[in-house]
Amino acid sequence: MTPIADDTAATLTFGLLRDAYLDLAQTLLRIEQGSARDLLQAIEKRAALRLSALEDEIFTDPLEQTALAMAASPVLAVLREAQAA
């Protein structure tokens, strides 16, 4: 695929998964709020740990770390948004 097609696919995929994750979070919160909050917090924590591991193990150059942080920012925002629902 071309870089434009890759970017478009990534944007589409992220949007679809974002919507699905937020819908799932809202449904779980309606069913059992306490357990759902625990699960959503655990998922956010796992994501943060994974990002930290990537930064330590793979993306060691400061430019790579900046790119990783920029890429991770919208993902972490979705995870926080799901908890705020």
Side-chain angles (χ1 to χ4, degrees), residues 49-71:
L49 289 171
R50 180 67 179 135
L51 289 169
S52 179
L54 286 172
E55 188 176 74
D56 292 343
E57 298 168 10
I58 297 173
F59 298 100
T60 55
D61 179 83
L63 289 176
E64 292 174 332
Q65 290 175 346
T66 299
L68 178 62
M70 290 175 61

Side-chain angles (χ1 to χ4, degrees), residues 1-10:
M1 290 192 349
T2 67
I4 293 172
D6 286 342
D7 287 346
T8 303

Side-chain angles (χ1 to χ4, degrees), residues 30-46:
R30 273 184 265 146
I31 294 170
E32 179 59 48
Q33 191 172 29
S35 296
R37 290 215 183 277
D38 290 345
L39 176 63
L40 295 171
Q41 288 172 357
I43 291 168
E44 184 176 356
K45 184 177 180 178
R46 187 178 311 139

